[in-house]
Amino acid sequence: MTERRAAANRDLRRAGARPAAREQAREAALIADIERLVCCESPSDDLAAVARSAEVVAEIGARHLEAEAERVVIDGRTHLRWRFGAEPRVLLIGHHDTVWPIGSLETHPFQVRDGVLRGPGCFDMKAGLAMAFHALAALDDLDGVTLLVTGDEEPGSPSSRRLIENEARRCAAALVLEAAGPGGALKTERKGVSRYEVLVRGRAAHAGLEPERGVNATVEAARQITAVAARSCRRL
């Protein structure tokens, strides 16, 4: 596989087309792959749609990487993994599920207009997946690279979290292929997420005769929500 990729890359560099023409061809091929990914809708809560999307991602990945994806199905959700070489060193992470419900293409069709690519899930993060495939395909040697594409990132990776952690522990570096920050800034870290379950119990009392003896659980829950929100830091 490595020898074939290296030969193909050398042939491309030696091709008679001008550099600008080659870049235009590469861009067109990249956009075509993004379109295929975007046009296969994959809302996180629709397991059948996520499975269909996984097959499209696997097909595009196999074409570029010359290797079939390993399908990892956990709790009905389909994740994809490519491993190259015996000793993993670098992990690339992405996801193919989106927050957009089935039918979103009818109101938000895929299009490229005025230099802007639009479509459900193109920003988060199907364009990133296509870029990963194209970038890896341009390398002569993928030894030590692992690419993991999960299908449940939007709801918080409930089934893939352990899979991600296990792969990351094996590698020296991890690159998450989400979209860039404002102005194309590179994201080097992100704040974490915590989940808590808070139970608030009230005390019943007659609202008209003795409301002072009661405790309104809804009001107290609202106080706690605003107290937690006040502790947030927008700089993180």
Side-chain angles (χ1 to χ4, degrees):
M1 178 192 69
T2 299
E3 292 179 359
R4 289 199 302 272
R5 176 176 293 106
N9 289 336
R10 287 195 299 269
D11 289 342
L12 182 61
R13 290 191 290 267
R14 289 198 299 260
R18 298 186 306 275
R22 291 201 300 269
E23 289 306 313
Q24 289 174 355
R26 285 170 173 157
E27 181 179 300
L30 175 61
I31 291 175
D33 283 338
I34 296 173
E35 181 175 8
R36 280 202 64 199
L37 293 171
V38 170
C39 289
C40 184
E41 296 178 294
S42 52
S44 305
D45 58 357
D46 188 328
L47 299 186
V50 172
R52 289 193 298 270
S53 171
E55 292 307 308
V56 174
V57 175
E59 187 277 323
I60 294 175
R63 172 160 47 85
H64 286 288
L65 304 179
E66 301 176 3
E68 294 296 327
E70 176 188 358
R71 289 160 176 79
V72 183
V73 181
I74 306 173
D75 297 335
R77 297 185 179 275
T78 306
H79 317 294
L80 302 171
R81 179 170 57 199
W82 283 266
R83 283 178 176 162
F84 300 95
E87 188 66 29
R89 297 192 302 273
V90 178
L91 173 64
L92 276 65
I93 310 173
H95 67 92
H96 65 99
D97 62 311
T98 77
V99 298
W100 297 82
I102 294 290
S104 296
L105 281 168
E106 297 178 8
T107 55
H108 296 76
F110 177 89
Q111 60 180 308
V112 180
R113 187 176 62 194
D114 299 328
V116 179
L117 188 150
R118 295 179 171 86
C122 66
F123 184 78
D124 186 11
M125 62 162 291
K126 294 187 175 183
L129 291 183
M131 292 171 69
F133 291 136
H134 282 249
L136 291 176
L139 298 178
D140 291 341
D141 188 358
L142 295 179
D143 185 63
V145 173
T146 297
L147 173 61
L148 179 63
V149 182
T150 65
D152 66 347
E153 188 272 348
E154 297 296 353
S157 304
S159 71
S160 65
R161 175 172 179 170
R162 182 166 295 180
L163 179 65
I164 295 170
E165 291 175 341
N166 290 340
E167 292 297 332
R169 289 190 184 100
R170 295 159 54 93
C171 296
L175 303 173
V176 181
L177 304 173
E178 290 270 7
L186 176 66
K187 295 176 182 175
T188 58
E189 60 185 351
R190 291 291 297 272
K191 62 182 179 181
V193 175
S194 297
R195 296 178 181 272
Y196 300 92
E197 181 177 335
V198 179
L199 178 63
V200 181
R201 288 191 174 92
R203 184 169 61 218
H206 194 285
L209 298 178
E210 46 185 11
E212 70 281 355
R213 299 187 61 181
V215 176
N216 189 317
T218 302
V219 172
E220 180 57 29
R223 290 196 184 100
Q224 296 301 322
I225 291 171
T226 56
V228 171
R231 297 178 65 87
S232 65
C233 179
R234 295 188 61 83
R235 292 183 291 102
L236 299 179

